[in-house]
Amino acid sequence: MCAAAVLAVVTPAASATESAVPPSTNVVGGTRAAQGEFPWMVRLSMGCGGALYTSQIVLTAAHCVSGTGANTTITATLGNVDLQSTSTTKVKSTYVYRSPTYPTSTGGDWALIKLASPVTTIAKLPIATTTAYNSGTFDIAGWGSATEGGAQQRYLLKAKVPFVSDATCKAAGGSYAGLISSAEICAGVMATGGIDTCQGDSGGPMFRRDASNAWIQVGIVSWGEGCARAGKPGVYTEVSTFAAKIAAAAATL
């Protein structure tokens, strides 16, 4: 499991339907999460992750869907670390809102999925509204591949990844040279790799504890080169940059 949601190749999803093919991403170098440890984690049927933003809205990545509009083809699974458990909650989508600035030079790899009915028994994950928590050590989790190119996981995996500065991230070269500093955050173990997000982790949250010791989401698994490669960190959507737009869009759904 890549400990820092990283996509092998960044390619937009084909559509917001079950046939969509998201970029590759999963948690590499992780361990199994305990039941109830991260209750707001969501698995989406097109092969992406997400987090419960409100009782009826899931926050995920724009590259996991094709556009804004009515959509009843996505199934959100939540409530259990074991995707095959009979106690999971499954809810269909009714609408998808895709960030209108993705993919552009200003970034914005985020999207909202409205569920057919609210999930009131599961905790939500608040998002960061300032840059105060955009550094330090982050947590990542997902059901994606545990190795680059590997199979998706049945059980939720978790890991920790350190912040990587914009300058260091850009110096990694390749796709990283085009990092959008105002809209993206990098994280990973630069020297050795070994921990990262991978295929299937796209759209999932990167999170940490805030000043009150409560969980807060600071990133969305977006892209990267391979999974858990040395010198190739994971790149995440900087949630605080888009917090106001996310809230405004959610209010219209």
Side-chain angles (χ1 to χ4, degrees), residues 222-241:
S222 185
W223 63 274
E225 293 183 8
C227 300
R229 297 179 185 178
K232 302 294 183 180
V235 180
Y236 303 79
T237 303
E238 187 172 316
V239 170
S240 61
T241 297

Side-chain angles (χ1 to χ4, degrees), residues 3-30:
V6 165
L7 317 183
V9 179
V10 185
T11 51
S15 71
T17 68
E18 298 246 15
S19 61
V21 180
S24 47
T25 10
N26 163 61
V27 178
V28 176

